[in-house]
Amino acid sequence: MTAHLIFDEPDDRNRLDSMAQDVIGRPIDRSEGALKVSGRAVYAAEQATSLWSEQRTDCLFGILVRATVARGRVTSLDTADALAVSGVREVLQDPRLVRHPAQGMARKSPPQEVADVGCFGQPIALVVADSFEAAREAARLVRVDYETAAAELDPASAPSDLPEKKQSSQGDLDAAMRDASVSLDVTYRTPSMAAAAMEPHAALAWWEGDRVTLCGAYQMVSQNAEELADALGIAPEKVRVLSPYIGGGFGSKLGIAPEAVAAAVAAERLGRPVMVPLTRQQEFEIAHRRSETEQRVRLALDADGLLTGIGHEARVSNQPGETFSEPVQQATHYTYRGEHRSIRHEVARVNLTCAGSVRAPGEAVGVTVLELAMDELAEKAGIDPVELRLRNIPECDPESGKPFSSHMLAEALREGADRFGWTSRRQRGRQRKGEWLIGCGMAAAVRVNFLHKARVRVTLSGEGVTIESSMTDIGTGTYTILTQIAAEMLGIPPERVTTRLGDTDLPEGSGSGGSIGAASNGSATYLACEEIRRQLASRLGCAEEDLTLKDGRATCGNRSHDLAELVSEPLVAEGFFEPGKAMGRVRSSTWGAHFAEVAVNEVTGEVRVRSMLGVFAAGRILNEKTARSQCIGGMTFGLGMALMEEMVHDGRHGHVVSRDLANYHIPTNADVPRIEVHFLHERDAYGGTLQAKGIGELGICGAGAAVLNAIHDACGVRVRELPATPDKILAGLCGMQG
Ligand code: MOS
């Protein structure tokens, strides 16, 4: 039985609130937590080696050979030295191998023909050996001849295009700037960034007849199966993808990637399972990067401190032919008022690592820069930064005129300012402790909210509940929240719920990406459970709404039954949630506010973040603990963006210079202060049947701006080229800033 809902009308029934089990929203521990901390949750690369792996262990290892030119054609491979390494089986060149990962939700193969080189580090062949070590050694020994071509390596000067759908303007911004009582015209730059997930990509493939099974680390396995099938030229039914545990994705595992296709091709050819892991260095060269951005923000303010104009021009980059471009201005369309608006979006075509989605594509860097500019404007206008934002919250989407599904920015700003002690800290002014200058800053957090179609199967039996979907848990808490939803709806303690995810043989979930997971798959889980409740109610002869399910008992009027007695035969239902017309009528977004206190060392230019506070609203919070973890993670990303993260591309050859975690700096425990996260109570009727919205990406949006604004407050230095490393701070302190 399928309970299918096309989400055409908002749902303000808030049904979860009337259930009796009282587990929804609770900060319960992750259901797979014990497996993870005891090593029993087997990750992709461990499939061949873990004691707990149920997969085949007689596997060969493959390592991708990397191109050492930025653009050209492979004319010949000399494999003699590679093949001479003990244990090496083959050096494989196959037209089906792919050059870089598929973009999120592509459902088709990324570009093939690896002999055609589009960037330094691109895979061009695969070495297969009996061991990882032999394959890695041999991959270095493959000699490659190229016919090279001139490469575009500088995003600032490379040829560019203007995707039509990403340009917009209304009114006359130039006139608004001229007439403004205070105006700002400022340009910021953010560098290429890496997702740098803890778990590197890996894929193990084996064939049974004409069907291939791929165990890997992927965020959207149902889409990924189609992408792999397209790359291999076989039917999607002939592909099974398994990704039960994933050590972080942040967008880097949205699409099928070169290691997956290589593993499948090699396994077919050699008749053995083949595991292809990416090395940490290859993570930086092959996984999608976040594009660098150059962003010009223009703001026009009238005498009352109201914005009359907003301009946001961005130049980003990607390889020629790629349709993805970092959607920098996504939230600029609706965050602040102003009738004169202009958005220009330019994409430079470069021969650098392919750009794609990295956590909160767009807002992560776009809101951050807009919020940096707002701080500059507040200073120039002599208006408190919180007050400036409060004054400029629009009544409805200022471009489309659509109402907001919910609007919580003002509340987040006020609640945050209150909890942080904003007003008294600002009044106290800059503090000094020895060499350290202490200041505080803030920023708004805004992120678009999406829903996606999703299917989830729920089975209620005497033993408990089973939930099944191809949805994934990339570390976000999906196992736990789906468990909680079913536990709440069916009146079963969470310990008696088993959730199975990340297998394309199961009903098609949405996959993890764009923060769609919880609301979309949660809505499908809800629908399946509601159907089971209807069936139980009809067995008891009452209406579904009058049925109380709690602790394994069903109560209806003055009758009470043990659930196990009612389900001598298991009850099975599939929930199928599809976004319909509802979302098209509104602007749906999540909201928040960031506050940070930093100390800047006036001798060394070092910055220490002393505290961060985030206040967030994302509809119903399904689990306070997993949601909080997401926000802490996002805010930590923001700290990294502000102070340290930078992928450096060599200007002469285009290779990634900072291609390991020693050179690509991400925040470590010692860098991260106490981070406080507070959620605002909210139910969004446009958030599916749970009144919930995505939270995975909200925490990063604007977080870096709060840190950088605090640096300015502490020492007067504005760093407009991220990250704010000590050299730039020192130059600013010495008045030598460019
Ligand atoms: Mo996300 S960057 O869509 O995983």
Side-chain angles (χ1 to χ4, degrees):
M1 177 74 202
T2 299
H4 183 189
L5 175 71
I6 300 176
F7 194 60
D8 285 333
E9 298 300 327
D11 181 349
D12 58 4
R13 296 176 302 153
N14 300 332
R15 290 242 27 226
L16 276 175
D17 292 323
S18 56
M19 299 293 155
Q21 192 64 27
D22 197 24
V23 289
I24 204 70
R26 300 269 170 222
I28 64 172
D29 291 344
R30 282 165 192 263
S31 37
E32 83 290 18
L35 291 179
K36 283 185 172 169
V37 295
S38 61
R40 280 159 212 255
V42 179
Y43 288 82
E46 300 174 314
Q47 293 293 351
T49 52
S50 169
L51 285 176
W52 292 287
S53 172
E54 290 165 23
Q55 309 305 334
R56 315 260 306 256
T57 54
D58 55 335
C59 85
L60 301 171
F61 290 84
I63 291 286
L64 292 161
V65 178
R66 60 198 275 264
T68 51
V69 299
R71 191 163 167 230
R73 245 198 109 68
V74 176
T75 50
S76 69
L77 288 187
D78 176 352
T79 60
D81 290 352
L83 289 170
V85 174
S86 166
V88 170
R89 302 274 174 142
E90 182 149 4
V91 179
L92 209 132
Q93 262 195 312
D94 188 293
R96 292 171 294 175
L97 297 182
V98 300
R99 295 206 283 265
H100 47 68
Q103 297 290 350
M105 306 201 190
R107 293 187 188 259
K108 60 181 178 32
S109 174
Q112 299 182 287
E113 288 289 356
V114 287
D116 198 353
V117 176
C119 73
F120 198 109
Q122 175 196 302
I124 49 176
L126 181 78
V127 174
V128 187
D130 293 340
S131 70
F132 168 78
E133 291 77 8
R136 193 171 185 183
E137 172 66 7
R140 289 194 319 116
L141 298 174
V142 176
R143 279 187 236 282
V144 189
D145 282 325
Y146 305 90
E147 193 181 287
T148 56
E152 294 292 347
L153 301 175
D154 182 4
S157 61
S160 64
D161 48 80
L162 298 158
E164 206 181 309
K165 281 191 185 141
K166 288 191 171 171
Q167 324 299 323
S168 72
S169 86
Q170 66 186 52
D172 185 345
L173 180 61
D174 291 334
M177 290 292 285
R178 271 196 310 274
D179 300 343
S181 106
V182 182
S183 68
L184 182 83
D185 183 347
V186 70
T187 299
Y188 277 82
R189 287 185 185 79
T190 64
S192 284
M193 287 175 232
M198 201 183 325
E199 179 205 22
H201 286 68
L204 168 67
W206 71 90
W207 292 78
E208 285 156 297
D210 62 353
R211 192 167 195 242
V212 64
T213 301
L214 187 87
C215 280
Y218 301 101
Q219 294 177 220
M220 311 199 120
V221 291
S222 293
Q223 287 88 327
N224 301 140
E226 292 181 32
E227 289 151 10
L228 182 59
D230 188 35
L232 298 173
I234 61 177
E237 311 82 75
K238 300 294 185 189
V239 176
R240 182 183 186 189
V241 179
L242 296 164
S243 295
Y245 302 108
I246 300 153
F250 315 118
S252 74
K253 293 165 182 164
L254 281 172
I256 211 73
E259 75 286 346
V261 181
V265 167
E268 181 185 42
R269 186 166 162 81
L270 294 159
R272 292 262 300 268
V274 175
M275 160 77 73
V276 181
L278 294 192
T279 62
R280 178 57 71 182
Q281 288 79 4
Q282 287 178 318
E283 279 296 309
F284 287 89
E285 294 184 331
I286 295 176
H288 287 152
R289 68 186 168 100
R290 187 197 298 285
S291 171
E292 79 296 322
T293 70
E294 182 185 290
Q295 302 181 52
R296 179 188 184 199
V297 178
R298 282 180 288 167
L299 299 171
L301 202 66
D302 71 12
D304 298 324
L306 299 177
L307 283 164
T308 53
I310 296 181
H312 197 168
E313 293 167 28
R315 184 176 166 103
V316 301
S317 72
N318 208 347
Q319 289 196 9
E322 286 293 314
T323 50
F324 176 89
S325 64
E326 184 76 23
V328 175
Q329 299 105 331
Q330 202 154 241
T332 307
H333 291 290
Y334 64 87
T335 302
Y336 297 117
R337 70 188 302 284
E339 61 215 86
H340 305 285
R341 315 178 74 86
S342 170
I343 281 174
R344 185 171 192 273
H345 185 91
E346 184 175 8
V347 189
R349 297 299 170 184
V350 292
N351 297 108
L352 298 174
T353 298
C354 190
S357 293
V358 178
R359 198 174 199 169
E363 288 92 322
V365 284
V367 168
T368 296
V369 168
L370 181 62
E371 291 301 296
L372 288 164
M374 285 293 280
D375 200 69
E376 294 205 39
L377 183 70
E379 185 193 18
K380 223 173 155 181
I383 301 174
D384 177 87
V386 174
E387 173 61 23
L388 179 66
R389 288 159 174 90
L390 286 171
R391 273 189 217 175
N392 285 288
I393 292 174
E395 297 278 303
C396 59
D397 183 314
E399 292 184 16
S400 67
K402 286 178 187 174
F404 291 102
S405 71
S406 83
H407 206 298
M408 301 290 280
L409 180 54
E411 203 172 327
L413 289 165
R414 289 197 182 101
E415 180 78 27
D418 200 37
R419 285 175 177 265
F420 189 76
W422 174 256
T423 311
S424 59
R425 284 204 216 196
R426 290 288 279 203
Q427 276 164 0
R428 212 166 48 211
R430 187 181 299 174
Q431 304 286 301
R432 171 189 281 277
K433 281 193 183 164
E435 294 172 0
W436 295 92
L437 304 170
I438 297 164
C440 56
M442 57 77 54
V446 189
R447 168 72 178 159
V448 291
N449 183 59
F450 306 105
L451 286 168
H452 196 270
K453 70 176 176 187
R455 289 177 188 264
V456 174
R457 182 164 60 225
V458 177
T459 305
L460 172 68
S461 72
E463 271 85 69
V465 174
T466 306
I467 302 171
E468 295 167 300
S469 172
S470 78
M471 173 59 189
T472 53
D473 185 330
I474 61 174
T476 44
T478 315
Y479 280 110
T480 320
I481 57 138
L482 296 189
T483 294
Q484 279 171 282
I485 294 163
E488 188 67 56
M489 290 293 290
L490 299 176
I492 296 275
E495 308 79 68
R496 286 176 56 203
V497 179
T498 306
T499 300
R500 292 181 54 214
L501 300 175
D503 178 349
T504 51
D505 278 359
L506 301 176
E508 182 172 339
S510 72
S512 300
S515 302
I516 57 176
S520 305
N521 301 277
S523 286
T525 305
Y526 169 96
L527 292 171
C529 292
E530 197 182 39
E531 173 57 29
I532 289 175
R533 288 175 56 90
R534 273 195 290 271
Q535 292 181 23
L536 286 171
S538 90
R539 287 184 188 187
L540 292 171
C542 72
E544 186 266 319
E545 291 78 8
D546 299 332
L547 181 67
T548 301
L549 299 177
K550 184 170 162 57
D551 294 331
R553 288 197 72 77
T555 309
C556 182
N558 55 7
R559 283 164 301 139
S560 181
H561 297 264
D562 198 347
L563 257 187
E565 287 165 25
L566 290 174
V567 289
S568 49
E569 287 289 300
L571 288 179
V572 188
E574 186 172 298
F576 180 21
F577 177 80
E578 265 192 292
K581 297 191 191 99
M583 289 287 261
R585 290 189 210 119
V586 290
R587 166 60 78 178
S588 179
S589 180
T590 52
W591 312 98
H594 293 285
F595 292 81
E597 183 180 283
V598 307
V600 179
N601 188 297
E602 66 176 346
V603 178
T604 64
E606 182 187 357
V607 176
R608 287 270 150 201
V609 181
R610 287 161 57 97
S611 71
M612 291 175 89
L613 163 71
V615 175
F616 302 109
R620 182 193 300 278
I621 299 301
L622 298 163
N623 178 320
E624 276 242 8
K625 184 182 260 183
T626 55
R628 171 168 284 108
S629 295
Q630 285 301 297
C631 294
I632 291 173
M635 291 165 77
T636 305
F637 262 63
L639 188 160
M641 182 190 299
L643 300 182
M644 51 192 87
E645 292 193 44
E646 179 170 22
M647 253 174 96
V648 178
H649 307 278
D650 184 291
R652 299 158 302 169
H653 310 292
H655 67 275
V656 179
V657 179
S658 48
R659 60 190 188 109
D660 55 39
L661 294 170
N663 290 292
Y664 184 87
H665 293 173
I666 59 171
T668 64
N669 282 4
D671 300 309
V672 182
R674 203 173 76 89
I675 295 182
E676 196 187 322
V677 172
H678 179 74
F679 295 112
L680 297 177
H681 179 87
E682 189 192 11
R683 302 281 182 262
D684 189 328
Y686 288 85
T689 57
L690 310 178
Q691 299 78 39
K693 292 185 282 196
I695 190 113
E697 294 169 312
L698 179 60
I700 188 176
C701 304
V707 172
L708 292 163
N709 292 338
I711 292 173
H712 173 260
D713 183 56
C715 69
V717 177
R718 295 244 183 232
V719 177
R720 297 194 184 90
E721 188 149 347
L722 277 51
T725 44
D727 53 314
K728 295 176 194 168
I729 304 263
L730 270 185
L733 285 170
C734 302
M736 298 187 307
Q737 214 173 8

